[in-house]
Amino acid sequence: MRLPRYPFARRRKPSSAPLTLGQRNIYVFPNRWGWSFAGLILLFLLVATNYNNNLSFLLAFLLAAMALISAVHGQRNLAGLVLKPGKAGAAFLGEELPFTLLLGDSRQRPRFALQIGFKEGVSQELSLPAGDDAVVLTLRPRQRGRCNPGAVVVESRYPLGLFRVWSRLAFDWNGLVYPAPASTAEPLPFASGGDDPGSNDGGDDFSGFRAYQAGDAPKRVHWKSYAQGRGMLTRVYRHGGQKQLWLDWNAATDDGVEAKLSRLCRWVLDAEHSGQVYGLRLPNREISPDRGLAHQAACLEALALFQR
Amino acid sequence: MNEPKRIPPASQMRELIAALALAGLPHAANLAYGPVALFYLMLAYRYLAIDRPALLPGKKLLISAALAAAAMVWQQSGGIFGKSAGSALLLAGVGLKLLEMHDRRDWYVVVAAAYLLALTQFLFSQAIPMAAYLVAVVVMLTAVLIGMHCGKAAVPLPLRLRQSAALAAQALPLAALLFVLAPRLPGPLWNLPQDKTATSGLSDRLEPGSINQLGLSDAVAFRVNFNGAPPPQNRLYWRGPVFWWTDGRRWEMRELPPLSNAAAAYSGTAVDYSVVLEPHGRNWLLALDLPQQFPADGHLSGDFVLLAKNPVNDRRLLRLRSYTDFRYPELSAAEKRLGLQLPKESSEALHRLVAQWREGRDDAQVVRQALAYFHDNDFHYTLHPPLLTERPVERFLLETRRGFCEHYATSFAVLMRLAGIPARVVTGYQGGLWNDVGEFLEVRQSDAHAWAEVWLNGSGWVRVDPTAAVAPERVERPVVAEVVSVDGGRGVESDSNGFSLAPWVLPAKTLWANVDHGWHRWVLGYDHNAREKALQWLNGGHWPKTLGWLSLALLGVSAPFAWSLWRSERLQTRDPALRSYQRFCKKLDRLGLPRRSSEGPQAYAARIARHLPRLASQAHEITDIYLRLRYGGESGSGLLEALRIKVRRLK
């Protein structure tokens, strides 16, 4: 059992490798119920002394010993767990940012009532039968850019609730926080008045089919072939003649960097949603026009990391 | 991160109610009916309300119910302090609190109160069965507590009971160590009102004629361990209150100036012994007469009774030294006056009887005459004597001639006083049942006895037991009792109906008495004096040695734990196939190719083949056997042996 050093716990370097919970990183300290229980035992001893009652003494000592040993059981409930950083997600500012934490068990023991979460996020309860698991932890970030979620806190009050048994582990992983999309809609900034964004489908030259990708506009799916059982195909158009949509830093008329980024973010989402081909032009970076989820993610990442 | 204040589900409420019902059960015998009935009513009501939350009362109703309950306890227990009233209040309080449980804190309050409830049972009984029962209650309560901290995983009750029993078993050595070594304050810390529950076969008044049925309680009065051989049975007179003054019917005690210990002349061999005295609520310490060494808080009264400063309300361990041969100092004027006091109404018939005995004989001869009178006439020893309302002594001696020790002792004393010989009546216990297994003497309330003492010039106070003249078995019982059948049936080993018990009952009883005595002597009798003795024995006065013993004991207590922890670190499993495979992984780890935690055995084997081609075939073979054993449902020592050998040969 490790003596409590909670306020002075050494900050360890964030790790990208799996970390195993053990004597070095598990802390045990009585909580409020634990202190109350100590008070209860004192009361027992008082009664026992006053009535000179030896079995009361024995009961008091038995409960005290059970409390102490429950701390060992609590420590064992955590010891041997292997935590490994999994996929760090992405989210818009203001939303929950998900991180996948992989849980392994070097001792193949059932684990009870684990509370896992980020220090500043919401924790969730988890009981594991002996074996591996994964848990998605979330955090509500305060600013855009790369986000390290801070320490993962694993804690438990098993078995008697008298002790808080916990461990704080810092991992080297970063989620991506996009700017929050502007809340008011503004038309997409087509260059020189351009085409009507709604009618460009028919204007492009049809160039063939490709396999359906998630995010392709339903309009472009070749439903006929799908109905014939040939799978989902998407029509591909050559957009050489099309006027390109550039989401330009300068076209955003909002004040301030963050507001401009929010506007651009909204445009990226709108453009992708309507199936446009679009490019992104930031003062320090340019992403050539394309469409699809990967393209959108690249654009959003550029926005997220702008000047960061 | 704050734990949400989740209220445990209905199943846990059922468990809690069951645990509480068990915890409160023994109080049904200890307390007034009111609080106990209220408690079980509340439990039943709460049980019904589990599925019907609308039944739960509001705050106002609860407060008035609590006040009413407190008033009831006050009325039935005469206050709210003391163990009976306190336990009753706790019982009623827990019952009511059950109806008002909103969050986790309330649960903790109820569980803590339930533990306390279990504790209060010990204030009423510390017998072995009670201790075992309450340990079971504690295990059950702890299982409920574990259930509150298992999270969403609904761990079934039997498993939790096993967990909590294991916890208790692991805690027991440490608890025992604390019990022996933790410093004790000599209690009580403050005086609590004592409940008068203690009983004794002895009383501070004697009125033989008014009782026509002597209840023989089988309860243990005290138990005695002798250092050395025990004195013969007919010398085992355990001295209690002495009676001087009589009005012909009732006998009363008189206070004499305390006896100085040095005044008595002891002779013969000393008897060293220790007594575990059950609480009886009076000051008598029931020593073998005449005590020479006794506890510091005791003193000898003028009539040689060993008295404690305070009433014996708790079990006490006394270490004593007595002499059964001794001589008393001079008879004081006050003693002589008291010893010759006679009731106002005299009896002509008795006067004539005594005068006939005297006829020039000396005092000792008169005593012998009187004993012969008891022996030769048609006297019977019986526990069911006829009631004597008029002139009890005369009617007993001349007419009914049926009675028990008190009749004989008191009438003998009256006869002696009529003859001018100072006499007094002594009560106490006589004899006891020798326990062969534990080698101790067990004295029960049914061994209560009364005898007389007369002052003979030159000999001092001499004990005369007229009952012995009538029923010698009563006094000179064999050491290990056989069935004794006197008029009226006073056999210890025959039950109240007179049937003799099965042959195995006596050994079983002896054995149990032995266990019980050990329990009383070593567990219940362990106090701060005993602790000091234990410590002295441990260190012989040297602290370093004590520390050595202490750390050794702690080591002994924690070793099983350390072992289990170490084992769980080392051996992750008992599955031999998995163990072999882990050895295989360890070997490869040493070769610089550790298995990744996310990597399955096959992927690992593939990676080994890529990075260490020379081991490729071996790794594949091992992995294949391992997978077949562990997941393919195959078994067999041959396959396992193959795996073991292949792993061993891997280099």
Side-chain angles (χ1 to χ4, degrees):
Chain A
M1 194 176 73
R2 187 112 174 142
L3 286 178
R5 311 188 313 179
Y6 177 40
F8 322 103
R10 192 158 21 117
R11 309 268 156 171
R12 287 169 213 273
K13 236 170 75 183
S15 157
S16 54
L19 290 177
T20 307
L21 300 191
Q23 318 254 335
R24 299 176 161 280
N25 47 23
I26 295 178
Y27 306 97
V28 180
F29 203 68
N31 56 22
R32 259 173 68 169
W33 165 231
W35 291 118
S36 313
F37 197 78
L40 183 74
I41 287 168
L42 265 179
L43 176 68
F44 278 26
L45 290 176
L46 213 62
V47 172
T49 303
N50 223 4
Y51 283 99
N52 211 351
N53 191 288
N54 264 0
L55 286 196
S56 297
F57 273 116
L58 205 53
L59 183 64
F61 292 138
L62 179 69
L63 285 186
M66 280 169 79
L68 284 179
I69 284 169
S70 86
V72 180
H73 284 277
Q75 200 264 1
R76 273 167 59 96
N77 191 34
L78 255 58
L81 274 181
V82 181
L83 271 60
K84 185 186 173 196
K87 184 177 181 294
F92 296 100
L93 189 62
E95 289 178 356
E96 299 268 301
L97 180 59
F99 291 84
T100 305
L101 185 70
L102 302 173
L103 292 170
D105 189 344
S106 70
R107 301 199 189 150
Q108 304 294 320
R109 272 207 296 255
R111 314 282 182 164
F112 301 99
L114 305 176
Q115 297 269 338
I116 300 185
F118 293 119
K119 204 180 146 238
E120 318 213 317
V122 187
S123 70
Q124 46 186 299
E125 200 203 285
L126 199 68
S127 284
L128 302 173
D132 299 350
D133 203 348
V135 57
V136 177
L137 307 179
T138 59
L139 180 76
R140 206 177 278 276
R142 298 222 180 85
Q143 55 180 341
R144 71 180 167 81
R146 289 200 191 285
C147 171
N148 183 293
V152 174
V153 179
V154 185
E155 71 167 281
S156 168
R157 294 175 188 210
Y158 177 85
L160 300 187
L162 301 169
F163 293 89
R164 178 179 177 234
V165 180
W166 79 101
S167 182
R168 292 154 51 111
L169 301 170
F171 290 109
D172 184 19
W173 55 348
N174 286 299
L176 202 56
V177 185
Y178 306 137
S183 52
T184 53
E186 206 169 286
L188 293 170
F190 286 99
S192 61
D195 304 18
D196 170 18
S199 66
N200 69 335
D201 294 325
D204 291 333
D205 298 329
F206 175 71
S207 66
F209 294 103
R210 63 169 168 79
Y212 174 81
Q213 292 173 349
D216 283 344
K219 282 182 194 175
R220 292 171 185 273
V221 174
H222 192 237
W223 293 109
K224 191 180 273 176
S225 63
Y226 180 66
Q228 288 163 355
R230 286 189 281 146
M232 282 175 86
L233 297 175
T234 306
R235 282 184 284 252
V236 182
Y237 297 88
R238 197 162 39 81
H239 32 264
Q242 185 192 357
K243 284 217 170 149
Q244 287 177 347
L245 172 58
W246 277 103
L247 307 177
D248 195 328
W249 174 263
N250 294 321
T253 53
D254 308 70
D255 294 329
V257 175
E258 294 305 320
K260 274 177 188 288
L261 289 172
S262 285
R263 171 61 54 208
L264 286 167
C265 176
R266 174 73 189 248
W267 278 341
V268 168
L269 293 178
D270 287 349
E272 182 63 35
H273 182 71
S274 58
Q276 294 282 349
V277 169
Y278 58 94
L280 178 67
R281 203 172 278 148
L282 295 175
N284 60 346
R285 200 170 162 198
E286 190 177 299
I287 298 176
S288 48
D290 198 349
R291 69 171 154 232
L293 280 184
H295 177 61
Q296 174 183 280
C299 293
L300 289 176
E301 185 181 343
L303 293 177
L305 299 181
F306 180 68
Q307 289 183 355
R308 284 280 147 84
Chain B
M1 298 206 326
N2 274 320
E3 199 176 11
K5 285 190 170 173
R6 195 170 51 84
I7 298 176
S11 65
Q12 283 182 25
M13 180 57 97
R14 289 197 188 96
E15 288 166 16
L16 182 66
I17 290 174
L20 278 173
L22 289 178
L25 196 59
H27 270 332
N30 303 332
L31 302 180
Y33 291 126
V36 178
L38 178 74
F39 177 67
Y40 281 99
L41 204 67
M42 292 296 122
L43 290 190
Y45 190 78
R46 187 65 186 83
Y47 192 86
L48 287 178
I50 290 174
D51 298 323
R52 306 169 191 79
L55 284 179
L56 292 176
K59 208 162 209 153
K60 274 184 194 161
L61 192 58
L62 267 173
I63 289 175
S64 34
L67 289 177
M72 179 180 70
V73 170
W74 183 287
Q75 192 259 324
Q76 292 200 346
S77 312
I80 52 168
F81 298 109
K83 61 185 184 186
S84 288
S87 306
L89 210 59
L90 182 66
L91 204 62
V94 176
L96 287 169
K97 179 71 191 166
L98 262 187
L99 301 187
E100 197 244 331
M101 289 171 72
H102 301 301
D103 56 18
R104 200 162 256 277
R105 225 194 51 189
D106 294 323
W107 278 76
Y108 287 144
V109 168
V110 172
V111 171
Y115 280 126
L116 190 60
L117 200 58
L119 178 101
T120 57
Q121 314 283 5
F122 283 139
L123 303 183
F124 295 92
S125 163
Q126 297 195 84
I128 297 176
M130 175 63 86
Y133 177 79
L134 286 180
V135 165
V137 168
V138 165
V139 166
M140 175 74 188
L141 275 170
T142 309
V144 173
L145 203 53
I146 293 176
M148 287 170 64
H149 299 95
C150 276
K152 288 176 208 143
V155 183
L157 183 62
L159 187 63
R160 271 182 287 131
L161 279 174
R162 230 170 57 196
Q163 286 177 341
S164 90
L167 191 63
Q170 289 159 344
L172 211 55
L174 185 58
L177 195 68
L178 284 169
F179 180 78
V180 174
L181 294 180
R184 298 277 181 90
L185 293 172
L189 301 177
W190 64 86
N191 275 323
L192 288 168
Q194 287 289 349
D195 303 326
K196 282 262 182 279
T197 51
T199 52
S200 166
L202 302 183
S203 152
D204 53 5
R205 271 175 39 171
L206 211 55
E207 208 172 341
S210 63
I211 306 166
N212 76 334
Q213 186 127 0
L214 183 62
L216 282 183
S217 160
D218 228 14
V220 172
F222 53 92
R223 291 175 169 120
V224 190
N225 280 69
F226 292 99
N227 305 350
Q233 190 81 0
N234 60 9
R235 293 228 161 174
L236 295 178
Y237 282 85
W238 310 96
R239 198 176 178 89
V242 176
F243 298 90
W244 292 90
W245 185 88
T246 178
D247 62 358
R249 167 180 303 278
R250 204 172 70 223
W251 285 75
E252 286 178 8
M253 298 187 284
R254 281 293 179 264
E255 200 161 316
L256 296 173
L259 186 81
S260 97
N261 202 13
Y266 304 100
S267 58
T269 49
V271 183
D272 286 304
Y273 57 107
S274 52
V275 174
V276 179
L277 183 61
E278 297 295 311
H280 55 73
R282 318 305 298 253
N283 299 53
W284 312 314
L285 291 181
L286 285 321
L288 205 59
D289 56 11
L290 180 74
Q292 187 216 11
Q293 282 176 16
F294 42 82
D297 71 327
H299 69 276
L300 272 179
S301 75
D303 36 20
F304 316 125
V305 184
L306 186 58
L307 294 170
K309 208 155 124 199
N310 297 311
V312 182
N313 287 318
D314 302 298
R315 184 171 294 102
R316 283 196 64 168
L317 179 69
L318 308 165
R319 290 171 205 285
L320 302 167
R321 163 177 286 183
S322 286
Y323 285 88
T324 52
D325 289 323
F326 50 88
R327 185 176 281 218
Y328 303 149
E330 283 301 294
L331 184 71
S332 72
E335 278 179 284
K336 186 164 185 178
R337 189 166 38 79
L338 276 170
L340 290 173
Q341 181 262 339
L342 278 167
K344 281 197 186 96
E345 36 179 299
S346 62
S347 158
E348 277 307 313
L350 294 184
H351 267 295
R352 273 200 307 276
L353 184 67
V354 172
Q356 196 183 317
W357 294 342
R358 178 59 89 179
E359 282 181 353
R361 297 187 183 93
D362 68 358
D363 286 356
Q365 281 170 322
V366 171
V367 170
R368 240 170 272 137
Q369 286 281 325
L371 284 178
Y373 176 77
F374 280 115
H375 188 257
D376 298 340
N377 286 294
D378 185 28
F379 280 94
H380 285 285
Y381 182 88
T382 172
L383 296 173
H384 311 284
L387 264 181
L388 299 164
T389 45
E390 292 283 313
R391 298 170 162 270
V393 178
E394 188 183 328
R395 284 197 58 211
F396 169 70
L397 283 173
L398 303 176
E399 293 168 33
T400 65
R401 293 181 175 174
R402 270 160 182 72
F404 46 85
C405 53
E406 291 184 358
H407 297 86
Y408 291 99
T410 53
S411 55
F412 180 81
V414 168
L415 288 172
M416 289 302 105
R417 288 178 178 191
L418 283 172
I421 304 170
R424 59 192 185 190
V425 176
V426 186
T427 57
Y429 297 87
Q430 206 283 314
L433 185 66
W434 182 253
N435 187 311
D436 244 356
V437 183
E439 306 210 311
F440 62 88
L441 189 77
E442 190 168 68
V443 180
R444 296 174 177 271
Q445 296 299 353
S446 52
D447 292 316
H449 190 52
W451 60 92
E453 279 176 346
V454 293
W455 177 271
L456 297 179
N457 283 323
S459 307
W461 286 104
V462 173
R463 178 168 57 230
V464 181
D465 192 344
T467 314
V470 178
E473 322 79 33
R474 179 66 186 83
V475 177
E476 291 176 47
R477 252 183 303 161
V479 171
V480 175
E482 291 152 13
V483 176
V484 179
S485 195
V486 192
D487 178 18
R490 210 212 152 275
V492 189
E493 286 70 48
S494 54
D495 64 15
S496 52
N497 296 326
F499 297 116
S500 59
L501 301 173
W504 52 268
V505 172
L506 189 58
K509 269 188 165 179
T510 311
L511 204 65
W512 173 251
N514 183 34
V515 170
D516 200 36
H517 178 53
W519 177 253
H520 281 135
R521 196 169 151 78
W522 301 114
V523 179
L524 303 184
Y526 192 84
D527 59 0
H528 63 281
N529 293 323
R531 175 179 168 272
E532 250 159 50
K533 279 223 170 61
L535 281 184
Q536 258 172 25
W537 177 77
L538 281 180
N539 69 0
H542 299 295
W543 264 108
K545 204 174 154 196
T546 311
L547 278 180
W549 274 109
L550 259 176
S551 35
L552 207 67
L554 269 174
L555 203 70
V557 165
S558 53
F561 241 108
W563 168 247
S564 80
L565 276 177
W566 181 79
R567 258 174 64 98
S568 67
E569 298 271 0
R570 294 290 303 242
L571 298 178
Q572 297 165 7
T573 176
R574 285 190 187 151
D575 179 356
L578 182 54
R579 223 179 317 163
S580 286
Y581 186 70
Q582 279 166 351
R583 206 167 299 136
F584 163 73
C585 294
K586 208 166 203 171
K587 279 191 169 178
L588 278 148
D589 188 5
R590 262 180 249 139
L591 293 172
L593 205 64
R595 183 181 165 198
R596 294 174 190 143
S597 66
S598 60
E599 205 167 33
Q602 275 165 333
Y604 187 37
R607 195 157 60 90
I608 294 166
R610 261 197 320 274
H611 289 94
L612 292 166
R614 70 180 175 88
L615 293 177
S617 64
Q618 276 175 295
H620 276 299
E621 274 173 27
I622 288 171
T623 305
D624 184 46
I625 300 177
Y626 166 65
L627 289 179
R628 274 164 67 193
L629 276 170
R630 194 153 160 80
Y631 302 105
E634 291 184 48
S635 58
S637 53
L639 212 54
L640 199 61
E641 195 51 37
L643 178 67
R644 209 170 287 150
I645 289 168
K646 280 185 196 300
V647 171
R648 198 182 311 142
R649 290 210 183 124
L650 185 86
K651 271 181 190 144

